[in-house]
Amino acid sequence: MSIDSRLSSDGKTLTIGVRGRFDFSVVNEFRGAYEAKGKGVHYVIDLKQAEHIDSSALGMLLNMRSFLGGDEANIQIIHCAPGIRKILEISRFDKKFQIS
Amino acid sequence: MSNLGLRNVLSPPVLAISTILLLAGWWLDGVWAKAAMTAASVIVVLDVMRRLREQTVILQRRQADEEARRLDVGVLKEVGGLSGDRLRQATMQLSELKSTITDNIELLGKAFFALSAKTHEQNDLASEIFTKVKGKHSDADGDTLTIEEFAKSLDKVIGTYVELLINVSEKSVNAVHRIEDMVGHIDQMFGMLGNIQEIADQTDLLALNAAIEAARAGEAGRGFAVVADEVRRLSRSSSELNTQIKEKANQTKVAIGKVRAIVGDVASLDMKEALNARSFIDQMLDSMSELNAEVNQSVLDMKHLTSEIKQSVDMSVRGLQFGDIAVQSCEMLEDSLRGVVEVQHDLNDLLNVAGTSSAQAAQTNLLSRVGQVRQAAADSANRISASVAKAKSADASQAAEDDIELF
């Protein structure tokens, strides 16, 4: 499994960790990770172990955001490698997600 | 020449002795009187002879002196003639020097003024470059596109491209999600088809049982056996149909899988190209701003240099005005030489009339000339030092200003 999701002990934060390639191959797993929990939770996408992302990952993140209510969605992307961070920046994701 | 009087010819003691002897001769008689008279005569004659000898020596000496003086006057005339020539030569050389200085100063002045004008032009050019590099349009129409603006437009284009790409990915992933939903439905359909198969199998089994029961009933069950057979045939048909549906559903699933893969491909675009393009633009902008900074610095340096050159030129032009002082000095030197020539001329006149009655007048003339020349020299020296002082103070006060004031 290159996607793992952990719910915090208080049940308010769901951390979705991506390992290896964050691309189309994980589209279902990734979708499953947030659709199961739905709205009302703070989501954290941990890219600490992600090696590469492509536009489908961006598409997945945007679909996740739409699914969670667009501007209402509370999604944080953490542990971005410099290359990944650059991609997120040129895609202007810093305006839609909290990136750190 | 002194006139020869008695007192001059005879010395006082000789006069006294000879007078006494004459008185004694007059008073005495005879031999003594003759002796006294004779003695007096001898003394007088001897003294007169001595005096004559002396006068002769004095005359000879005077003659020699006169000759010597005449010789000195000759040498002086010779020297005077020579120095007169040299003075005329010097005057000529001086006027040549003056005209050379004047011509060259004029030439240099023109050259420096031209240089000053050129530095102005250079400064204007530098300012123009500065403005152009900074990207401010000096022309009102604003047609020209600066490199910075070009880079910004390119950046905007890439931004739009990235946005489009992400939009496509978002839609594609959304489509994939919908396809997944569809696949889920198809999988549910497969489950239902399994149920139908089960029903068909059970129906088949039921029909088989009915056929067995009909056979056991013998002739009476014959009709029922026909029904059971028909039911079995129907169940087999439905089983066949079920298999066909399954097959088609499978094909659909495969097709959907292919669609999913294609949509997945559409969604999965490498962001590297966009990233590279973006970082290329960034690099371009960075090098542009670096280049701008360098050009700005260079232009500033150039402006600085230009103003330094202008200062140097102005200083040189002021230096040339000291050349005017040199010309003034030359003129004063000419005046002085002229004075000396006049003195020399008067001296020559004096030498010409030396030993004659007009010598005194010539000497007075010469002395008054010397006085005039000396006064003129003092005036010249004062004028020169005043001029230099004025120039220096003007130079000092001009150091802070740009314009050149001629003095």
Side-chain angles (χ1 to χ4, degrees):
Chain A
M1 290 288 275
S2 43
I3 301 286
D4 67 295
S5 50
R6 303 180 301 274
L7 194 63
S8 64
S9 53
D10 59 3
K12 284 178 183 170
T13 305
L14 184 71
T15 305
I16 301 172
V18 182
R19 253 199 321 276
R21 297 176 73 81
F22 188 9
D23 61 11
F24 192 66
S25 63
V26 298
V27 64
N28 280 336
E29 277 183 74
F30 186 77
R31 184 192 184 192
Y34 63 83
E35 280 198 354
K37 195 73 194 168
K39 296 181 189 179
V41 183
H42 173 56
Y43 282 92
V44 175
I45 313 292
D46 186 355
L47 297 181
K48 194 175 187 175
Q49 289 175 296
E51 286 158 11
H52 173 267
I53 70 170
D54 66 6
S55 66
S56 63
L58 305 177
M60 284 181 242
L61 286 168
L62 288 174
N63 270 288
M64 176 189 183
R65 190 169 176 272
S66 305
F67 179 79
L68 298 173
D71 291 342
E72 292 167 27
N74 186 359
I75 307 168
Q76 193 182 1
I77 302 173
I78 62 166
H79 297 138
C80 301
I84 292 174
R85 196 189 176 95
K86 260 189 185 164
I87 290 176
L88 294 178
E89 274 169 7
I90 65 165
S91 311
R92 310 218 188 287
F93 266 41
D94 44 354
K95 299 209 165 55
K96 294 172 179 165
F97 299 87
Q98 296 167 253
I99 299 175
S100 57
Chain B
M1 285 289 128
S2 57
N3 44 345
L4 288 171
L6 192 64
R7 283 178 65 172
N8 282 11
V9 173
L10 299 176
S11 57
V14 170
L15 198 63
I17 292 166
S18 53
T19 310
I20 292 165
L21 284 174
L22 281 175
L23 282 174
W26 180 72
W27 189 64
L28 292 171
D29 292 323
V31 179
W32 290 105
K34 278 180 184 171
M37 294 288 271
T38 308
S41 306
V42 166
I43 286 168
V44 166
V45 167
L46 281 173
D47 196 55
V48 165
M49 277 174 72
R50 184 185 59 83
R51 275 272 159 150
L52 276 173
R53 219 167 32 244
E54 277 177 13
Q55 286 296 323
T56 311
V57 169
I58 286 168
L59 269 174
Q60 276 174 349
R61 202 175 289 157
R62 275 192 184 160
Q63 246 173 350
D65 280 357
E66 195 68 30
E67 240 168 74
R69 204 172 291 152
R70 218 169 280 135
L71 204 64
D72 285 351
V73 167
V75 170
L76 282 173
K77 275 184 176 172
E78 195 64 31
V79 171
L82 179 67
S83 52
D85 287 350
R86 300 294 296 158
L87 275 172
R88 270 188 294 283
Q89 217 172 340
T91 311
M92 267 162 61
Q93 282 168 350
L94 190 61
S95 70
E96 262 174 46
L97 175 68
K98 195 183 90 179
S99 73
T100 308
I101 289 174
T102 313
D103 291 353
N104 282 311
I105 281 174
E106 201 179 332
L107 207 62
L108 279 171
K110 276 180 189 164
F112 276 125
F113 274 118
L115 196 57
S116 184
K118 293 285 174 203
T119 56
H120 267 300
E121 275 178 40
Q122 198 180 2
N123 212 21
D124 290 351
L125 273 177
S127 301
E128 204 174 319
I129 292 170
F130 192 72
T131 317
K132 273 187 180 163
V133 169
K134 278 228 151 182
K136 288 170 192 157
H137 297 293
S138 50
D139 45 352
D141 54 4
D143 280 351
T144 49
L145 184 71
T146 64
I147 297 169
E148 203 174 339
E149 283 169 352
F150 171 72
K152 276 183 180 160
S153 307
L154 207 58
D155 194 44
K156 208 171 163 187
V157 169
I158 286 178
T160 314
Y161 162 70
V162 167
E163 205 176 301
L164 189 71
L165 193 140
I166 289 166
N167 203 10
V168 167
S169 283
E170 186 188 0
K171 296 252 161 46
S172 303
V173 169
N174 196 13
V176 167
H177 287 167
R178 300 288 84 77
I179 287 169
E180 289 299 337
D181 292 349
M182 212 153 85
V183 170
H185 294 151
I186 288 174
D187 284 343
Q188 283 174 3
M189 252 165 66
F190 276 120
M192 289 168 191
L193 285 174
N195 290 341
I196 290 170
Q197 184 64 48
E198 212 170 287
I199 291 166
D201 287 350
Q202 280 177 6
T203 310
D204 187 51
L205 203 62
L206 203 63
L208 185 65
N209 283 336
I212 290 166
E213 289 303 321
R216 200 179 284 169
E219 197 57 32
R222 183 153 296 173
F224 190 67
V226 172
V227 173
D229 206 35
E230 199 57 31
V231 168
R232 206 174 171 200
R233 206 174 55 81
L234 276 174
S235 87
R236 279 186 187 162
S237 293
S238 102
S239 184
E240 246 171 65
L241 198 62
N242 196 24
T243 309
Q244 280 174 8
I245 289 171
K246 228 182 205 171
E247 205 177 310
K248 288 291 164 197
N250 254 327
Q251 282 173 4
T252 306
K253 203 178 168 186
V254 169
I256 285 174
K258 281 177 183 168
V259 170
R260 183 186 185 274
I262 291 166
V263 175
D265 277 352
V266 171
S268 307
L269 291 170
D270 200 342
M271 297 297 288
K272 261 185 193 147
E273 290 303 317
L275 198 64
N276 287 348
R278 193 59 172 274
S279 54
F280 172 69
I281 296 279
D282 286 348
Q283 274 171 17
M284 199 162 89
L285 281 173
D286 280 354
S287 9
M288 264 310 296
S289 62
E290 257 174 54
L291 186 72
N292 270 8
E294 275 171 30
V295 169
N296 283 355
Q297 190 54 48
S298 301
V299 170
L300 278 179
D301 286 352
M302 198 161 109
K303 277 187 136 184
H304 192 65
L305 277 178
T306 307
S307 79
E308 276 180 2
I309 290 173
K310 198 181 176 305
Q311 274 178 15
S312 300
V313 167
D314 290 351
M315 232 145 72
S316 304
V317 171
R318 280 200 289 277
L320 286 181
Q321 288 162 35
F322 280 99
D324 290 345
I325 294 173
V327 170
Q328 284 175 25
S329 300
C330 278
E331 280 166 1
M332 288 173 193
L333 201 54
E334 273 183 329
D335 283 349
S336 303
L337 277 177
R338 211 171 291 127
V340 173
V341 166
E342 279 164 4
V343 168
Q344 198 268 335
H345 193 259
D346 287 356
L347 185 64
N348 216 29
D349 285 352
L350 177 63
L351 289 174
N352 279 333
V353 298
T356 68
S357 57
S358 37
Q360 192 62 40
Q363 193 172 331
T364 313
N365 198 21
L366 175 62
L367 282 176
S368 91
R369 178 76 74 193
V370 166
Q372 281 171 15
V373 169
R374 194 168 278 158
Q375 184 58 45
D379 289 353
S380 286
N382 284 340
R383 275 211 302 282
I384 283 280
S385 56
S387 201
V388 168
K390 191 183 170 192
K392 274 188 180 157
S393 71
D395 197 33
S397 69
Q398 287 298 309
E401 295 169 31
D402 270 342
D403 294 330
I404 303 158
E405 187 198 315
L406 294 167
F407 46 80

